[in-house]
Amino acid sequence: HALACAPRASRANWLLKVEAGTQNISPLMWAIESGRLEAAEAIIQDLLVIRADRERYYYGVEDLFGRHQDIIKRLISDAPTLLPVIMQGLVWRSRISRGGNRRVNYYVKHLLINPEDDSVS
Protein backbone atom coordinates (compact mmCIF):
# COMPACT_ATOMS: atom_id res chain seq x y z
CA HIS A 1 0.00 0.00 0.00
CA ALA A 2 1.68 3.17 -1.24
CA LEU A 3 0.17 5.35 1.48
CA ALA A 4 1.80 3.42 4.28
CA CYS A 5 4.93 5.54 3.90
CA ALA A 6 3.04 8.85 3.61
CA PRO A 7 3.60 11.21 6.54
CA ARG A 8 0.31 11.99 8.30
CA ALA A 9 0.64 15.68 7.48
CA SER A 10 0.99 14.92 3.74
CA ARG A 11 -1.40 12.02 3.38
CA ALA A 12 -4.48 13.97 2.24
CA ASN A 13 -2.46 15.90 -0.31
CA TRP A 14 -1.12 12.63 -1.77
CA LEU A 15 -4.72 11.42 -2.20
CA LEU A 16 -6.14 14.62 -3.66
CA LYS A 17 -3.46 16.18 -5.83
CA VAL A 18 -0.82 14.71 -8.13
CA GLU A 19 1.24 17.09 -10.23
CA ALA A 20 2.34 16.01 -13.69
CA GLY A 21 4.21 18.74 -15.51
CA THR A 22 1.99 21.81 -15.56
CA GLN A 23 -1.19 19.91 -14.68
CA ASN A 24 -2.46 18.46 -11.48
CA ILE A 25 -5.07 15.77 -11.12
CA SER A 26 -6.98 14.33 -8.24
CA PRO A 27 -6.54 10.58 -7.80
CA LEU A 28 -9.98 10.57 -6.18
CA MET A 29 -11.69 12.22 -9.15
CA TRP A 30 -9.73 10.08 -11.58
CA ALA A 31 -10.95 6.95 -9.80
CA ILE A 32 -14.56 8.14 -9.85
CA GLU A 33 -14.48 9.27 -13.49
CA SER A 34 -12.84 6.06 -14.68
CA GLY A 35 -15.22 3.81 -12.74
CA ARG A 36 -12.58 2.58 -10.31
CA LEU A 37 -15.01 2.81 -7.42
CA GLU A 38 -13.10 0.44 -5.13
CA ALA A 39 -10.09 2.75 -5.38
CA ALA A 40 -12.32 5.80 -4.81
CA GLU A 41 -13.85 4.11 -1.77
CA ALA A 42 -10.41 3.37 -0.33
CA ILE A 43 -9.36 7.00 -0.87
CA ILE A 44 -12.48 8.38 0.81
CA GLN A 45 -12.13 6.00 3.74
CA ASP A 46 -8.47 6.89 4.17
CA LEU A 47 -9.15 10.62 4.05
CA LEU A 48 -11.91 10.39 6.63
CA VAL A 49 -10.01 8.46 9.28
CA ILE A 50 -8.99 10.54 12.28
CA ARG A 51 -5.28 10.05 12.96
CA ALA A 52 -2.99 11.57 15.53
CA ASP A 53 0.64 11.96 16.38
CA ARG A 54 2.29 13.69 19.31
CA GLU A 55 1.65 17.14 17.88
CA ARG A 56 -1.85 17.13 16.38
CA TYR A 57 -4.84 15.32 14.94
CA TYR A 58 -5.33 14.75 11.21
CA TYR A 59 -8.73 14.42 9.58
CA GLY A 60 -9.00 14.93 5.83
CA VAL A 61 -12.51 16.38 5.72
CA GLU A 62 -11.30 19.97 5.23
CA ASP A 63 -8.84 18.84 2.55
CA LEU A 64 -11.50 16.76 0.78
CA PHE A 65 -14.14 19.49 0.66
CA GLY A 66 -11.53 22.18 0.05
CA ARG A 67 -10.28 20.41 -3.09
CA HIS A 68 -13.68 19.06 -4.21
CA GLN A 69 -16.42 21.38 -3.01
CA ASP A 70 -18.84 19.51 -5.27
CA ILE A 71 -17.93 16.01 -4.08
CA ILE A 72 -21.46 15.17 -2.93
CA LYS A 73 -22.96 16.26 -6.28
CA ARG A 74 -20.29 14.27 -8.12
CA LEU A 75 -21.02 11.17 -6.08
CA ILE A 76 -24.77 11.53 -6.63
CA SER A 77 -24.31 11.73 -10.39
CA ASP A 78 -21.27 9.48 -10.99
CA ALA A 79 -20.92 7.11 -8.03
CA PRO A 80 -24.01 6.94 -5.82
CA THR A 81 -22.77 3.72 -4.21
CA LEU A 82 -20.07 5.83 -2.51
CA LEU A 83 -22.53 8.12 -0.73
CA PRO A 84 -22.84 5.82 2.31
CA VAL A 85 -19.05 5.61 2.45
CA ILE A 86 -18.57 9.38 2.65
CA MET A 87 -21.49 9.81 5.05
CA GLN A 88 -20.05 7.13 7.33
CA GLY A 89 -16.72 8.96 7.28
CA LEU A 90 -18.39 12.15 8.48
CA VAL A 91 -19.39 10.48 11.76
CA TRP A 92 -17.12 9.83 14.73
CA ARG A 93 -18.21 7.49 17.47
CA SER A 94 -16.49 7.27 20.82
CA ARG A 95 -15.26 3.82 21.72
CA ILE A 96 -16.41 4.47 25.30
CA SER A 97 -20.04 4.20 26.32
CA ARG A 98 -21.48 5.50 29.58
CA GLY A 99 -24.84 4.35 30.84
CA GLY A 100 -25.60 2.81 27.46
CA ASN A 101 -24.87 6.10 25.67
CA ARG A 102 -22.03 6.78 23.30
CA ARG A 103 -20.71 10.19 22.27
CA VAL A 104 -21.04 10.87 18.55
CA ASN A 105 -19.81 13.82 16.46
CA TYR A 106 -21.33 14.55 13.06
CA TYR A 107 -19.11 16.55 10.68
CA VAL A 108 -21.77 18.11 8.46
CA LYS A 109 -20.54 21.70 8.05
CA HIS A 110 -19.66 21.13 4.41
CA LEU A 111 -23.08 19.66 3.70
CA LEU A 112 -24.83 22.76 5.06
CA ILE A 113 -22.61 25.73 4.20
CA ASN A 114 -22.36 27.20 0.72
CA PRO A 115 -18.58 27.54 0.11
CA GLU A 116 -18.98 30.55 -2.18
CA ASP A 117 -20.50 32.89 0.37
CA ASP A 118 -20.56 30.94 3.67
CA SER A 119 -24.36 31.00 3.71
CA VAL A 120 -26.41 28.08 4.99
CA SER A 121 -27.84 25.97 2.17
Side-chain angles (χ1 to χ4, degrees):
H1 194 257
L3 286 174
C5 63
R8 286 185 182 103
S10 304
R11 199 172 183 104
N13 197 42
W14 285 26
L15 292 168
L16 294 171
K17 187 177 180 182
V18 173
E19 294 183 18
T22 59
Q23 295 185 336
N24 65 64
I25 64 163
S26 166
L28 174 59
M29 279 302 133
W30 174 85
I32 291 169
E33 291 166 0
S34 63
R36 307 284 198 263
L37 300 186
E38 286 182 18
E41 180 176 346
I43 291 170
I44 291 169
Q45 287 174 335
D46 195 88
L47 283 168
L48 299 181
V49 168
I50 298 174
R51 294 180 172 83
D53 60 23
R54 293 177 187 217
E55 297 175 20
R56 63 175 278 209
Y57 286 94
Y58 302 92
Y59 180 48
V61 72
E62 295 293 332
D63 299 297
L64 173 61
F65 283 95
R67 173 86 163 121
H68 301 297
Q69 296 174 352
D70 64 341
I71 186 67
I72 300 298
K73 289 180 187 175
R74 294 295 301 269
L75 293 180
I76 289 169
S77 65
D78 299 335
T81 58
L82 295 178
L83 284 168
V85 175
I86 198 167
M87 295 309 234
Q88 194 70 3
L90 297 176
V91 177
W92 172 85
R93 292 171 194 82
S94 173
R95 60 180 170 74
I96 301 167
S97 63
R98 292 190 182 132
N101 295 317
R102 185 178 308 268
R103 186 171 152 206
V104 177
N105 291 344
Y106 296 92
Y107 296 91
V108 296
K109 173 180 115 178
H110 297 286
L111 304 178
L112 302 172
I113 305 295
N114 182 343
E116 293 172 12
D117 61 6
D118 287 336
S119 64
V120 176
S121 299

